[in-house]
Amino acid sequence: MTPHAPFPTVELKRLTDRQTARIRLYCVPPSGTGSEFYLPWVAAFSERFDLVAVDLPGRGTRAGEPSITDIGWAATGIAEAIAADLRHRPPADGFYAVFGHSFGALLAFEATQRLRSASPTAPDLLALSALPPPDRDGLDAHIARNLGSGIAAITETMGWEQPTDDTLTRTVYTPFLADAVALLQHTRQPWPPLRAPLSVFGGLDDPMVDPESLHEWSICTTAHTRVHRFPGGHHYLRTQVAEVVAGLTDDLLAAYRRPVGEK
């Protein structure tokens, strides 16, 4: 008998259905959230962009499923889902990019590395938000330092109001705790530099990511790196949707006009 996989599969959700869009953007949500995190982006992006979000088990519409607690497994699942989508429904010009925020940025980075072998081409641009550079303390270090504070640390980090209902508490915090376990168990490994350009985003008051360190992501690509900083903390993106989308749009269009490999 074939053993069951330890976790449910990763799925993709089409936030738009723009089959003639020139650029496709795959979005990986942050810890504890599902594809709905990127719904505010739909109206912010023009018709030139097709948005597809990653749906991980255990959160959003998949809240009743077991969460993935292994980053390698999740990243591989994301890479396989994107590669399959590119085969079955390729973008109009073959151009695609990947964006991730916080924990989702780590998954986006690792999935992109795996896409080198899972897909004929890697992303034409990788965009990372609220993630420390590889040579700095990662999100796992922040989790480890604040384990003793429990739910209070999670609430402060995520910018949530603490639920008063036990059932709601379980629904809200279970996927976040699963992601914390995944981070604490994760072993970082050296990856060869990407050929695609990087776009790096961060909050000026982020307690988990030094905004002055974001330029250090440049060691992860042989192409150029653009850094964008915005007012706010770790989840600055929630209040800076229009500004982030504007910066990301500029970077996507620049990469679209400049084939991967050209500096």
Side-chain angles (χ1 to χ4, degrees):
M1 180 180 294
T2 303
H4 292 291
F7 305 110
T9 58
V10 173
E11 298 176 357
L12 299 178
K13 182 173 182 179
R14 311 207 87 81
L15 300 183
T16 61
D17 192 19
R18 301 165 178 167
Q19 298 187 32
T20 60
R22 316 317 295 178
I23 295 173
R24 181 172 300 161
L25 179 63
Y26 292 96
C27 305
V28 188
S31 181
T33 66
S35 58
E36 71 281 351
F37 181 84
Y38 290 105
L39 286 176
W41 284 30
V42 173
F45 272 104
S46 75
E47 295 292 324
R48 290 177 291 184
F49 301 90
D50 187 30
L51 272 60
V52 181
V54 169
D55 249 337
L56 293 168
R59 70 264 345 260
T61 59
R62 305 184 67 187
E65 302 176 51
S67 297
I68 296 176
T69 55
D70 182 280
I71 285 175
W73 185 281
T76 298
I78 292 170
E80 290 175 348
I82 291 176
D85 191 58
L86 292 170
R87 289 193 301 269
H88 298 145
R89 190 172 174 176
D93 289 338
F95 184 102
Y96 81 99
V98 179
F99 176 93
H101 176 65
S102 188
F103 178 71
L106 177 58
L107 294 182
F109 177 72
E110 298 233 348
T112 295
Q113 298 291 352
R114 288 160 172 80
L115 276 162
R116 287 174 156 177
S117 58
S119 176
T121 58
D124 296 279
L125 180 137
L126 173 63
L128 305 172
S129 169
L131 183 68
D135 291 339
R136 297 275 184 147
D137 281 351
L139 300 179
D140 55 330
H142 181 84
I143 294 294
R145 284 194 296 267
N146 290 280
L147 277 177
S149 301
I151 293 296
I154 297 174
T155 303
E156 181 179 358
T157 298
M158 300 301 291
W160 294 335
E161 292 185 10
Q162 186 168 337
T164 56
D165 177 78
D166 289 345
T167 300
L168 183 58
T169 298
R170 185 180 298 111
T171 300
V172 169
Y173 288 106
T174 296
F176 185 92
L177 292 171
D179 293 343
V181 169
L183 282 167
L184 292 172
Q185 295 181 130
H186 180 54
T187 300
R188 283 186 275 180
Q189 59 179 302
W191 295 99
L194 297 167
R195 296 177 64 239
L198 291 181
S199 292
V200 184
F201 298 78
L204 289 170
D205 299 310
D206 190 341
M208 300 171 67
V209 185
D210 178 5
E212 298 301 320
S213 72
L214 295 177
H215 71 277
E216 296 172 15
W217 273 106
S218 60
I219 66 172
C220 294
T221 180
T222 58
H224 63 276
T225 299
R226 293 185 178 184
V227 176
H228 306 265
R229 303 179 181 91
F230 300 93
H234 190 65
H235 288 290
Y236 72 93
L237 192 151
R238 289 173 175 160
T239 59
Q240 302 285 327
V241 170
E243 293 81 0
V244 171
V245 168
L248 183 54
T249 293
D250 289 344
D251 292 354
L252 287 167
L253 291 175
Y256 178 75
R257 300 184 186 109
R258 178 187 297 149
V260 168
E262 291 187 12
K263 293 188 178 181

